[in-house]
Amino acid sequence: QVQLVESGGGLAQAGGSLRLSCVFSGGTFGDYAMAWFRQAPGKEREFVVVVRPFGGDTYYTNSVKGRFTISRERAKNTVNLQMNSLKPEDTAVYYCAARREILFGGSYDYHSQTSYNAWGQGAEVTVSS
């Protein structure tokens, strides 16, 4: 059974940086799409970014493009989210998510929470103005 454990996050000032990490276990890391979602207080959980397993394609939500960077460390079974130029509206609990993909398998909506079947416990990020 896949398990995801997030670390990092915390408090930052607007314009600052934070880094989140998610350690994957219980499966073949290279077969999984790894994504980050976030949930701000009083709001629904939303997609942030995904990195696909075959080819390494990445897709970012518009609000974080140019500021956030996802990276996969295969040797450490870890996916990182580097967050720069943080804004107060980035304040949220950030969740790591995973979905096993099959090479040349069918497409899916990587923006949707229901596309992922493994989730981390969440890491809190607070950005002060």
Side-chain angles (χ1 to χ4, degrees):
Q1 183 176 354
V2 170
Q3 292 189 322
L4 305 174
V5 178
E6 296 119 336
S7 62
L11 177 64
Q13 290 188 333
S17 299
L18 288 172
R19 181 181 176 93
L20 300 176
S21 294
C22 173
V23 178
F24 171 103
S25 63
T28 303
F29 183 57
D31 289 346
Y32 281 76
M34 300 298 297
W36 289 94
F37 285 74
R38 66 185 181 185
Q39 187 167 18
K43 295 188 176 181
E44 294 187 353
R45 193 173 298 187
E46 65 173 359
F47 169 81
V48 177
V49 60
V50 64
V51 55
R52 305 287 297 276
F54 309 117
D57 292 346
T58 57
Y59 302 96
Y60 293 84
T61 193
N62 286 337
S63 62
V64 308
K65 283 181 181 177
R67 301 188 298 119
F68 290 13
T69 303
I70 191 170
S71 61
R72 185 194 290 263
E73 293 184 76
R74 292 184 181 272
K76 296 182 178 180
N77 280 8
T78 297
V79 63
N80 301 306
L81 182 64
Q82 180 65 40
M83 304 181 291
N84 298 330
S85 302
L86 283 163
K87 303 176 180 180
E89 51 264 43
D90 294 319
T91 295
V93 177
Y94 284 71
Y95 296 90
C96 179
R99 173 196 172 93
R100 185 172 181 266
E101 289 196 17
I102 298 173
L103 187 61
F104 305 125
S107 62
Y108 64 96
D109 182 1
Y110 53 79
H111 296 92
S112 174
Q113 298 179 56
T114 59
S115 294
Y116 301 87
N117 48 25
W119 291 84
Q121 80 283 1
E124 194 162 352
V125 170
T126 303
V127 183
S128 62
S129 56

